Amino acid sequence: NAGVTQTPKFRVLKTGQSMTLLCAQDMNHEYMYWYRQDPGMGLRLIHYSVGEGTTAKGEVPDGYNVSRLKKQNFLLGLESAAPSQTSVYFCASRKSGTSYISNTGELFFGEGSRLTVL
Amino acid sequence: GIQVEQSPPDLILQEGANSTLRCNFSDSVNNLQWFHQNPWGQLINLFYIPSGTKQNGRLSATTVATERYSLLYISSSQTTDSGVYFCAADRAGGTSYGKLTFGQGTILTVHP
């Protein structure tokens, strides 16, 4: 059981280049999220999806696009990378609903993707 | 949105010591989780605890939802406990879709 898998793990881009980060989960989770983490800060939500074919903006969506064509995959795209997008990106997923007893609602993270924009 | 504040920001311990980390949140929550980010950057789930108390080995957590805080207890700390501890919560009511807001974290360093 792989859980949440992100590719690539590391990437270096030049300003203006584009790229896509792929997140795949094998837990049949409905909800998926992309977060970014910058030094000295907690994680901030970029975009999220509550099901196949749906996406929504989070706290810091500017400069990013997302797609969820299949339930198990959530893609994060940078159309024209900027140095301010240098960060570590985390994908996460969870079941819909909330249950304290069964831990429904627990969020699971991938290992992160470190992106540097020069 | 919901505000999540953690204290202390930094904590240095000798191996074997006990510690308590605190998380305050500004609204009622559906979901509250504690994570440990290890020195390699991995985010590891510790507790899913919107209310009540849970224990897992040397770690335990308590959330008092009515008073809007959660505590993470680490007993007999080990060097492998070092890293950053995050609390994260999503606001109850409406359709939050589980969007967690993270605190700034507590950096824990355990010396041998």
Side-chain angles (χ1 to χ4, degrees), chain B residues 86-98:
Chain B
F86 287 106
C87 167
D90 74 340
R91 191 160 58 97
T95 50
S96 70
Y97 296 117

Side-chain angles (χ1 to χ4, degrees), chain A residues 8-12 21 87-89 112-116, chain B residues 40-41:
Chain A
K9 299 289 190 293
F10 302 92
R11 184 74 186 270
V12 178
L21 295 174
S87 188
V88 180
Y89 293 85
S113 298
R114 184 175 295 275
L115 174 65
T116 301
Chain B
W40 296 271

Side-chain angles (χ1 to χ4, degrees), chain B residues 24-71:
Chain B
N24 293 329
F25 42 93
S26 60
D27 288 293
S28 299
V29 297
N30 279 330
N31 180 8
L32 187 134
Q33 284 186 244
W34 283 95
F35 298 91
H36 174 217
Q37 187 167 39
N38 64 24
W40 296 271
Q42 293 176 311
L43 283 160
I44 299 165
N45 291 8
L46 295 178
F47 294 101
Y48 171 72
I49 187 160
S51 64
T53 298
K54 290 185 178 179
Q55 181 156 7
N56 184 3
R58 297 181 296 103
L59 274 61
S60 64
T62 295
T63 296
V64 183
T66 54
E67 297 188 22
R68 298 180 182 172
Y69 72 88
S70 183
L71 302 174

Side-chain angles (χ1 to χ4, degrees), chain A residues 55-74:
Chain A
T55 62
K57 294 180 180 179
E59 181 186 355
V60 288
D62 293 343
Y64 305 95
N65 55 76
V66 288
S67 65
R68 188 145 178 226
L69 300 179
K70 295 182 178 180
K71 185 177 183 179
Q72 64 267 34
N73 295 338
F74 194 28

Side-chain angles (χ1 to χ4, degrees), chain A residues 21-82:
Chain A
L21 295 174
L22 170 64
C23 176
Q25 52 94 4
D26 61 3
M27 297 175 282
N28 201 34
H29 287 170
E30 292 82 12
Y31 295 173
M32 296 186 74
Y33 311 83
W34 277 107
Y35 285 87
R36 62 177 286 173
Q37 184 179 27
D38 301 299
M41 302 182 71
L43 280 74
R44 292 181 293 167
L45 182 64
I46 305 171
H47 285 280
Y48 66 101
S49 168
V50 299
E52 181 178 320
T54 73
T55 62
K57 294 180 180 179
E59 181 186 355
V60 288
D62 293 343
Y64 305 95
N65 55 76
V66 288
S67 65
R68 188 145 178 226
L69 300 179
K70 295 182 178 180
K71 185 177 183 179
Q72 64 267 34
N73 295 338
F74 194 28
L75 279 64
L76 178 71
L78 286 72
E79 290 187 347
S80 180

